Amino acid sequence: MCGIIGYIGKRQIIPVLLEGLRRLEYRGYDSAGIVFLEKNKIKVIKTKGRIFNLEEKIFKKPPLEAKAPGLGHTRWATHGEPSDENAHPHMDCKEELSLVHNGIIENYYELKQKLLKKGHRFCSATDTEVIVHLVEDYLNEGLNIKEAFFRTLKDLKGSFAIALIYKKHPEFILVARNQSPVVLGVGEEENFVASDIPALLPFTKKVVFLNDGEVAILYKDKIEVYDSKKNKIEKEPVLISWDLASAEKGGYAHFMLKEICEQPEAIKHTLLGRINLDNKEIDFSKEGLVKEFLEDVQKVFIVACGTSYHAGLVAKYLIERHLEIPVEVDLASEFRYRNPLINSKTLFIGVSQSGETADTLASLRLAKEKGAKILSICNVLGSTIARESGVVLYTQAGPEISVASTKAFTTQVLVFILLAFYLKKMLYGKDEDKEKVDALIKISNQLDNFIEKIRPKIKEISEKWHNISNCLYLGRNILFPIALEGALKLKEIAYIHAEGYAAGEMKHGPIALIEENVPSIILAAKETGIVYEKTLSNAEEVKSRRGPIISIISENSEEFKKISYDYIEVPLTFYEFLPIFYVVPLQLLAYEIAALRGCDIDKPRNLAKSVTVE
């Protein structure tokens, strides 16, 4: 989950590396470092802490002759605590090689013991340092640098994105990828390497994606790509449509708030080209989702992690409501270890914002091995999960920088709504209600107005409750996953213990937690029919035990208003659209509470944006 940036060309190297690192800090911020050439020597500057700590160290004694090639790294610790010594880049014994790495080397201990016996000196507790010493060891045996790099890669087990520079060959950067994202940036007489697209946007929009097992050699005027057998392969650059402004805060205090407010626009983009405005029909055929692909599907597995898992839980209600197909939703970290019963009549749907989530990717590969049809929903063009899927449906949410996911969730849910309607038509010939499709087309503007309307009330509620230590989130039916998502957001960014429950489960244990200083946030929608009445009964159970209630409810829900300490009214909509409207107040509530508590909202402690390790 670390961030990597590398550059070769004529620009001043330090500004390029620092700019790239600033745009990657969401991937990790335990420590940071850069490496470059100075007076024909490799110079490493690194420190524990964030990018500004690194900048202070650099500018305290500025290097006067820093030259490309250079590499930068921002770390999310896996092996070895955050410290100056464990920060990347790492060097070999002779200080001729330096590299940065994202991922985990699973056999590092075994390799390290062999290298120690050969006299190699290690300066850190990381698994990464093993890599640079392995390259050095093969150089000592007489191999040239490229051969030594390939031989080293064969010895490694695990996931890695690696970029390496060599003092004796300053004309290139060596790059490798296995189960960890790598993007190459293509410029004029300059080239770049990064772990994610935002780092490249200030410099170029032309990118090349590496696949697992591939190696790239970056010169200033060309890029060579090889497969694992050293065969040269051709790759055409892809033009990225994101602009630089879309990856910046745009006047908002935090990326998270910006991304919450961007949800109407993200929904608009996600709908674009998928609804025929003339006949009000949904169409995914241009994206490869045709009837033949879904032939004989008898069961659906939806597999994801974190917020994407909650979107999958919403999808279960949608798909089983509209189709005659059973759906299982699994946490990816559990799915791959439980011998799931999969065959050629199974549709596997992997959901991931980044398209690089390690557990989801491993689950996808397992399902593929067992013969399942693979469909993925993700946000990043050319990501690994997208490339390894039979069909990929992009959410078109644009870059999501805040670690706590918001617009990715709503657009994932939106894609599942479209998918349920589309499959109903394609598999059973049943048209979805045109009134619903009309409402879907208008949902962006409706959500925009809703966000603007509720923000002052959410601030008011947050001021009353930001000092709490515990909170319960309760919902039923399609709003149960939204309760889980709301609780997750409060935990992630405000560091408040919060639990999401199906409201009907309260009497089976959690009701013991009810007391005057533990608020219950209860979600209830009239559109859920009898479930609304059941949720009201559950709310009464909380109220009778003096538990304060904050309710997120349908307009004119007078019964709830009478028993609620505070409430937010949600405009009436169709059942399928409830998750989109009900999650937004919970996102804003978590944000405002975290802001009042002085939390680092975009970079919550111990978390990183793209979880590319197990």
Side-chain angles (χ1 to χ4, degrees), residues 65-78:
E65 296 183 34
K67 294 180 181 178
L71 306 170
H73 189 272
T74 179
R75 182 173 183 250
W76 187 80
T78 56

Side-chain angles (χ1 to χ4, degrees), residues 237-266:
V238 175
L239 189 64
I240 297 300
S241 59
W242 299 349
D243 59 22
L244 190 56
S246 68
E248 295 178 340
K249 290 180 187 175
Y252 289 91
H254 299 92
F255 278 115
M256 182 179 179
L257 181 57
K258 174 178 180 277
E259 288 158 11
I260 290 171
C261 295
E262 282 178 341
Q263 288 177 115
E265 192 66 21

Side-chain angles (χ1 to χ4, degrees), residues 106 179 301 303-305 330-340 342 348 357-367 369-370 612-614:
E106 294 174 0
Q179 299 178 32
F301 279 92
V303 179
C305 302
D330 275 81
L331 290 163
S333 55
E334 291 296 317
F335 176 84
R336 56 188 297 212
Y337 296 112
R338 70 165 181 85
N339 190 32
I342 294 173
F348 174 98
T357 311
D359 286 311
T360 307
L361 180 57
S363 299
L364 181 153
R365 287 170 174 163
L366 174 63
E369 285 173 16
K370 290 175 173 281
T612 56
V613 296
E614 285 189 62

Side-chain angles (χ1 to χ4, degrees), residues 5-197:
I5 180 70
Y7 173 72
I8 187 163
K10 294 180 181 179
R11 296 181 194 243
Q12 291 186 11
I13 186 67
I14 290 177
V16 172
L17 297 180
L18 289 177
E19 182 66 18
L21 288 179
R22 288 187 201 104
R23 297 179 186 283
L24 291 172
E25 195 169 16
Y26 64 91
R27 294 182 63 90
Y29 34 86
D30 294 331
S31 58
I34 61 173
V35 60
F36 49 86
L37 295 183
E38 186 182 36
K39 295 180 180 178
N40 215 29
K41 291 184 179 179
I42 282 185
K43 173 77 171 178
V44 170
I45 305 174
K46 58 183 182 176
T47 185
K48 177 183 175 181
R50 301 195 174 184
I51 305 302
F52 66 82
N53 301 114
L54 177 64
E55 290 174 326
E56 285 179 356
K57 197 167 185 177
I58 291 169
F59 296 124
K60 193 173 183 181
K61 190 179 178 183
L64 300 177
E65 296 183 34
K67 294 180 181 178
L71 306 170
H73 189 272
T74 179
R75 182 173 183 250
W76 187 80
T78 56
H79 292 67
E81 64 181 20
S83 68
D84 289 2
E85 295 78 17
N86 290 332
H88 299 214
H90 292 289
M91 289 197 287
D92 67 323
C93 299
K94 298 174 186 175
E95 298 188 354
E96 294 180 341
L97 299 161
S98 185
L99 64 71
V100 292
H101 162 238
N102 181 17
I104 290 178
I105 305 304
E106 294 174 0
N107 61 333
Y108 89 97
Y109 182 78
E110 169 194 335
L111 294 170
K112 186 173 182 177
Q113 296 310 305
K114 289 179 181 178
L115 290 163
L116 285 169
K117 288 177 182 176
K118 290 185 174 184
H120 288 266
R121 300 183 309 278
F122 285 78
C123 302
S124 76
T126 68
D127 55 333
T128 297
E129 195 180 356
V130 165
I131 307 169
V132 73
H133 286 284
L134 269 176
V135 177
E136 178 189 23
D137 203 56
Y138 282 122
L139 287 173
N140 291 342
E141 290 182 9
L143 299 182
N144 66 42
I145 182 60
K146 294 176 184 177
E147 291 170 340
F149 192 64
F150 271 102
R151 285 286 295 274
T152 295
L153 298 178
K154 284 187 175 181
D155 291 343
L156 303 179
K157 295 179 182 176
S159 62
F160 52 79
I162 299 168
L164 177 143
I165 61 173
Y166 185 29
K167 183 185 80 172
K168 293 182 179 180
H169 283 282
E171 71 273 18
F172 58 74
I173 299 172
L174 291 166
V175 179
R177 177 217 160 108
N178 186 56
Q179 299 178 32
S180 202
V182 175
V183 187
L184 309 178
V186 182
E188 296 292 332
E189 292 295 310
E190 61 181 0
N191 288 302
F192 306 80
V193 57
S195 49
D196 209 348
I197 292 168

